[in-house]
Amino acid sequence: MRTKLIAGNWKMNPSLAKGRELAREVVERTRGLGCEVVVIPPVPLVQAIGEIVVGTHVGLGAQNLHPERSGAYTGEAAGSMWVELGARYVLCGHSERRQLFGETSRFVGAKVAAARRDGLVPILCVGETLDEREAGVTEAVVTEQLVAGLADVGAADADGIVIAYEPVWAIGTGKNATPEQAQAVHRFVRGWLGQHLGADAAERIRILYGGSVKASNAKELLGQPDIDGALVGGASLEAAGFAAIAAASA
Ligand code: PGA
């Protein structure tokens, strides 16, 4: 039985003061819901938010890492630095990183491997654009992202990785995939995992859905058999709505 994971990707929001308030409220409102809850603040807030959530039931994540352990990489952060601040998760290959910052699937794969090496759980994000969906190549796109993203991952890593399926056309647009559309891709991803890592690993790996998840659509999405949680952007910036999404996973 896979424990549902509800992760809030705060992206480049909010201020330090608002972030602290949000983190405290998330801790208060998500107690005892039976799911795992994680907040993923922007870089300058990770330490301060960690001071609030580490040691509670709410986990801490980072939005990115560099594959190297240390060195001359101005503006970057190493996985071991996130671990020192109490983080357990790290996003790898979010579509905004791929689209706006030119991250290739191969580079994303190096990040996933580095996260494992450094003791973090990578959340590998995959998903197609609207053009790709309309061209009927969703499965091919997701496959390419899985092949490269999990190049250095084996069956023994099953409990230490998470996949997030996020159709790019549903991110920040208010247009979520229908539960059926999402479930179809999730089932496809689990099938791929089964072929490459074995049936046992495929059953254990959590596959989150992301893209305009909110309190009003969470229950239906999270009710699908292969949807094991949500990666929430916009709706994670408001504690009551985020907590309602977590509650919907029960
Ligand atoms: P959204 O973002 O919930 O605002 O669509 C999701 C994500 O980018 O992870």
Side-chain angles (χ1 to χ4, degrees):
M1 191 59 194
R2 300 178 292 269
T3 304
K4 292 262 200 302
L5 170 60
I6 308 298
N9 173 13
W10 293 1
K11 307 195 179 182
M12 202 168 73
N13 308 287
S15 69
L16 176 58
K18 287 223 167 80
R20 283 197 169 116
E21 203 181 301
L22 176 58
R24 284 193 195 102
E25 265 199 82
V26 167
V27 172
E28 281 309 307
R29 290 173 181 267
T30 60
R31 252 191 212 109
L33 293 178
C35 61
E36 192 179 344
V37 177
V38 173
V39 290
I40 310 179
V43 175
L45 271 61
V46 173
Q47 179 163 13
I49 301 307
E51 284 165 6
I52 293 168
V53 303
V54 172
T56 73
H57 66 282
V58 175
L60 183 68
Q63 296 178 13
N64 190 24
L65 85 168
H66 192 278
E68 295 299 329
R69 291 175 195 270
S70 64
Y73 300 99
T74 302
E76 293 293 309
S80 62
M81 296 169 179
W82 296 137
V83 171
E84 278 189 303
L85 298 183
R88 249 182 341 118
Y89 291 90
V90 62
L91 298 180
C92 294
H94 187 280
S95 68
E96 285 151 18
R97 300 293 319 170
R98 293 178 193 262
Q99 292 203 312
L100 304 175
F101 302 100
E103 288 192 9
T104 62
S105 292
R106 210 176 138 176
F107 191 48
V108 171
K111 290 179 185 226
V112 169
R116 296 287 302 132
R117 175 198 70 207
D118 295 339
L120 289 162
V121 175
I123 301 177
L124 170 65
C125 304
V126 301
E128 82 288 1
T129 63
L130 185 58
D131 282 354
E132 289 164 344
R133 173 160 283 261
E134 286 174 348
V137 294
T138 295
E139 293 185 355
V141 168
V142 169
T143 299
E144 186 271 335
Q145 293 170 339
L146 290 170
V147 168
L150 300 179
D152 292 316
V153 164
D157 294 305
D159 295 326
I161 61 165
V162 172
I163 311 285
Y165 168 59
E166 299 200 298
V168 179
W169 47 273
I171 295 178
T173 59
K175 274 188 244 165
N176 62 286
T178 65
E180 295 73 27
Q181 281 174 322
Q183 165 59 22
V185 180
H186 281 237
R187 195 177 40 208
F188 172 77
V189 171
R190 202 173 308 283
W192 186 93
L193 293 169
Q195 278 169 19
H196 291 84
L197 301 178
D200 179 57
E203 276 309 304
R204 303 229 299 267
I205 294 173
R206 289 180 291 184
I207 308 172
L208 315 183
Y209 170 78
S212 299
V213 176
K214 43 188 184 275
S216 58
N217 60 24
K219 204 171 181 67
E220 258 198 301
L221 285 161
L222 292 166
Q224 300 301 311
D226 289 296
I227 299 186
D228 307 313
L231 182 54
V232 186
S236 71
L237 297 171
E238 200 265 307
F242 184 61
I245 293 169
S249 73

